[in-house]
Amino acid sequence: MNQKRKLASFLICFSFTVLVVVGVVGVATLMPKVSGFGFIQTSDALNATNAALNATNATLSKTIQIASADTKEVTDGKSLDIDLQIQPFPVTQSGDSQFKITFLQPSSQTVQVHVDYDLSISKMNSEVFRASSSTGQPLLHTAEGIVSIPYKFSQEGQYSVQVSVMGINFIPIKTEQALFDLKVS
């Protein structure tokens, strides 16, 4: 009887280990932009995630031109509305800018709590800033559903601001984005 318990314990532990290893390998090789579990990603998986998000930048066709301090857009998967407020507006080079992101439920327009997300800024398809990189994490999390991210533009020109959502209420989702165009003078 004792030997059966040991065997059962071994099989349970072995199965759990296999699931974890397969999960990490799956995250690193098969689904790098789906994972909401940044704590199990390797640096290779982080690089794959960033590469996948950058590649997605190029394939997104729907962009919203930011023409006011407050612009709202639904993510491409329609899970959330992104309310992007920029202060001060219009944005100028060498001025400190503040990006306030509010994640909203599309049906009720109430704030969506517990969102895994990232914000990136690109100029001419070259990423110049990624919010998660400044923390050393593959993604960021907001419990409140409202975040403010500072950034200082060093050059004028046309920029793309991408807000990516990777999880809602601690549940990973296929990465969804809202893409905004911003002119910096």
Side-chain angles (χ1 to χ4, degrees):
M1 186 69 161
N2 193 19
Q3 196 169 17
K4 287 183 180 180
R5 284 185 185 166
K6 286 182 181 178
L7 180 59
S9 295
F10 171 77
L11 289 175
I12 290 170
C13 291
F14 179 77
S15 298
F16 179 75
T17 303
V18 168
L19 286 174
V20 169
V21 169
V22 169
V24 170
V25 170
V27 167
T29 60
L30 301 176
M31 307 176 298
K33 62 182 183 173
V34 174
S35 175
F37 302 106
F39 62 89
I40 62 172
Q41 288 186 334
T42 64
S43 60
D44 290 338
L46 174 59
N47 292 336
T49 300
N50 287 339
L53 289 173
N54 288 338
T56 304
N57 259 347
T59 60
L60 282 175
S61 59
K62 184 179 179 189
T63 62
I64 299 298
Q65 181 65 42
I66 298 174
S68 67
D70 190 356
T71 306
K72 191 186 299 183
E73 176 60 23
V74 66
T75 58
D76 56 359
K78 301 191 183 336
S79 293
L80 293 176
D81 285 349
I82 307 297
D83 184 10
L84 181 64
Q85 298 176 23
I86 305 173
Q87 292 298 326
F89 192 85
V91 179
T92 59
Q93 74 175 20
S94 300
D96 291 332
S97 298
Q98 194 73 232
F99 292 86
K100 180 181 177 186
I101 304 168
T102 304
F103 298 96
L104 300 168
Q105 298 172 2
S107 58
S108 63
Q109 294 301 294
T110 57
V111 175
Q112 174 63 59
V113 297
H114 294 293
V115 177
D116 296 325
Y117 72 96
D118 205 354
L119 174 130
S120 64
I121 300 173
S122 300
K123 183 175 184 185
M124 297 180 357
N125 290 329
S126 180
E127 188 174 280
V128 295
F129 174 76
R130 179 171 294 275
S132 62
S133 295
S134 63
T135 66
Q137 299 296 316
L139 54 86
L140 301 171
H141 179 84
T142 174
E144 298 83 17
I146 301 172
V147 296
S148 290
I149 300 172
Y151 183 72
K152 187 174 195 172
F153 290 92
S154 60
Q155 298 177 348
E156 57 184 41
Q158 193 68 28
Y159 288 83
S160 293
V161 178
Q162 179 178 316
V163 179
S164 302
V165 177
M166 295 90 148
I168 301 171
N169 281 330
F170 303 107
I171 300 171
I173 65 169
K174 182 178 178 191
T175 301
E176 297 183 12
Q177 297 90 12
L179 190 60
F180 303 88
D181 284 336
L182 173 66
K183 182 175 177 153
V184 176
S185 54

